[in-house]
Amino acid sequence: MVADSYMVCVSDLSFLGVKRPALISLALSALILYAAMIGKVNVLQSFLWTPGLIGYAIGLLWLSLFLGILAGVLRGRASNRMVILAVMICFGGTFLAGGTSEVYDAFQMVIMGLIAIGFMRVASPHSVVKRRALTLLGAAILGAILVFVIMLLAPGNAIRQASLGTPLPLHLVALRTLLSLSVFIASTIAVNNPIPVLIALIVPGIIFWRLAAFDKKLQLTSRQARQLLGVSAGIMFALIAICIFLPIYSTSAAPDTRLLFIPRFVLICTTVFWGSVMGLSVRDNQAENQLTGFRILVFVVVLMVIGPDLSIWTTLVGDAPDYRVFANEWDNREHEIRAAAAAGTQDIQVAAFTVDLGNIAGLDTISSDPTQWVNVCAANYYGVKTITASTN
């Protein structure tokens, strides 16, 4: 999903004069998927658990599609009718995607705001490109702001905040955010399987240094490269900080692991960008064997595409029996609770799962403690006094 969506926003590299941009886009897309998914990523919470998938992961699909729409409208000779349609799509899509969670909505608002600032500073004041870009971005930001206001006014916020108590002072939230941000980046790069991050840096560098063919000479100066690296690093820190700040402010606790997929995605995308900039900065623009480079690039693409797909397939096939056991036992527990509730039983005890995917994913599940919040919620849902699970 992430690779396909990201390919939309990078598929047009023609402005750099890159030959076969789709092939390079496919390589970078597969690389990002590989590096983002490998390591200590809670796949069960982020993708197989519906709230995690909808709340944090699926929004990245829309964000990438939005960037693709923006690039397509600005690159092509779109009619006014097409621009109006794109504005409507950008507003509606951002509104719907932002409604998945407050964290993602703030995340997309910051990205779109930064892009708008970039166009205002770089683009020609009276250019059509600038006007269309700001129109699309303005519509998208408006949709994000509108849905954010709706979520803030939702009655559930007051109920949730009452159960959590008084929020931490802002200075403590800021300190905890900086600490969590530092720990996240350090652990991702140095502890939690640093090999994918290193590959995400090296492979794009090699592609743009030796393998990519250009229709025109292109080389970044050392100063330009440093500026791009510095600006992208600042943007990365800002985006990750937003994702960490809001959960700490609202719950006074560190973000759940399912949420950290967005910061990891940002870090990997930034790493790929760094590698690309470094490759362009050392490119010597000498005559190259384009056929050999193309063959090597095809080989890299095949490895990047097959690797993640093979890993996902192995995981799914290997864990499929446990998933089936969990699904069957979940259905049996559902029938057992409903039957007991219908018979008038108020204190229900169910058997523990043989394979509990909730515990494996790091989620709270029905336990032997009737006062635990999941037990209380389950009892309220089924209309009984208590529900507990026996211990193995």
Side-chain angles (χ1 to χ4, degrees):
M1 180 192 70
V2 176
D4 293 339
S5 60
Y6 184 77
M7 186 169 61
V8 174
C9 70
V10 298
S11 61
D12 186 8
L13 298 173
S14 58
F15 67 97
L16 292 178
V18 179
K19 295 181 179 179
R20 303 184 181 93
L23 182 62
I24 296 178
S25 299
L26 181 59
L28 297 180
S29 301
L31 174 61
I32 288 175
L33 177 61
Y34 161 78
M37 295 292 292
I38 300 299
K40 289 190 176 181
V41 178
N42 198 323
V43 176
L44 290 177
Q45 277 199 32
S46 297
F47 297 99
L48 300 184
W49 190 49
T50 303
L53 173 65
I54 295 177
Y56 305 113
I58 204 169
L60 296 174
L61 174 61
W62 160 249
L63 182 61
S64 300
L65 290 174
F66 166 77
L67 295 175
I69 293 172
L70 180 64
V73 171
L74 299 183
R75 177 182 60 84
R77 297 179 179 178
S79 64
N80 290 334
R81 182 177 298 179
M82 292 298 297
V83 173
I84 294 174
L85 178 61
V87 168
M88 296 172 62
I89 293 174
C90 290
F91 174 84
T94 305
F95 180 87
L96 294 175
T100 58
S101 70
E102 299 92 334
V103 172
Y104 171 76
D105 192 43
F107 172 76
Q108 71 174 358
M109 273 196 290
V110 172
I111 289 181
M112 294 170 184
L114 291 172
I115 296 174
I117 292 173
F119 273 104
M120 287 189 291
R121 290 183 59 87
V122 176
S124 176
H126 304 292
S127 67
V128 177
V129 170
K130 179 179 180 179
R131 185 170 64 252
R132 288 186 172 181
L134 294 180
T135 300
L136 293 177
L137 288 165
I141 293 173
L142 180 61
I145 292 175
L146 181 59
V147 73
F148 196 80
V149 171
I150 293 174
M151 288 188 291
L152 287 180
L153 296 177
N157 287 327
I159 298 174
R160 180 179 63 180
Q161 195 59 54
S163 65
L164 294 173
T166 305
L168 292 173
L170 282 178
H171 69 280
L172 290 181
V173 176
L175 288 175
R176 290 193 180 187
T177 299
L178 290 175
L179 178 61
S180 297
L181 187 151
S182 302
V183 170
F184 167 77
I185 293 179
S187 61
T188 301
I189 295 176
V191 180
N192 298 338
N193 198 347
I195 299 301
V197 180
L198 188 62
I199 293 175
L201 180 69
I202 293 175
V203 171
I206 295 175
I207 288 176
F208 286 100
W209 172 43
R210 298 301 300 172
L211 302 186
F214 292 79
D215 292 325
K216 58 185 178 181
K217 290 185 177 181
L218 178 65
Q219 184 180 24
L220 294 175
T221 64
S222 298
R223 180 179 179 181
Q224 290 172 330
R226 287 195 300 269
Q227 289 176 342
L228 289 173
L229 294 176
V231 171
S232 60
I235 293 174
M236 179 190 72
F237 284 120
L239 293 176
I240 295 177
I242 285 293
C243 294
I244 296 175
F245 175 86
L246 289 178
I248 294 179
Y249 175 77
S250 60
T251 65
S252 302
D256 295 325
T257 54
R258 58 184 173 273
L259 185 150
L260 293 179
F261 179 75
I262 297 179
R264 184 176 178 89
F265 180 75
V266 172
L267 189 147
I268 294 301
C269 288
T270 305
T271 303
V272 169
F273 178 76
W274 286 347
S276 304
V277 169
M278 292 176 184
L280 289 173
S281 67
V282 298
R283 189 177 181 84
D284 56 13
N285 286 317
Q286 298 296 322
E288 56 193 26
N289 188 334
Q290 294 184 3
L291 180 59
T292 300
F294 175 70
R295 290 172 176 171
I296 297 175
L297 184 55
V298 170
F299 179 71
V300 171
V301 169
V302 170
L303 290 180
M304 289 295 99
V305 171
I306 291 179
D309 292 341
L310 183 61
S311 177
I312 293 173
W313 175 257
T314 302
T315 300
L316 290 177
V317 172
D319 294 340
D322 289 341
Y323 295 159
R324 284 193 290 268
V325 170
F326 176 74
N328 290 332
E329 292 186 348
W330 177 279
D331 290 340
N332 293 335
R333 174 181 286 188
E334 167 79 7
H335 296 316
E336 179 183 347
I337 293 175
R338 290 194 179 277
T345 304
Q346 289 297 303
D347 297 299
I348 301 175
Q349 185 179 63
V350 295
F353 288 133
T354 305
V355 178
D356 193 340
L357 291 185
N359 286 333
I360 295 173
L363 299 169
D364 292 328
T365 59
I366 295 176
S367 67
S368 59
D369 181 6
T371 63
Q372 199 244 16
W373 73 273
V374 177
N375 295 56
V376 174
C377 291
N380 291 336
Y381 177 79
Y382 288 105
V384 298
K385 185 178 178 180
T386 63
I387 294 180
T388 57
S390 62
T391 58
N392 289 324

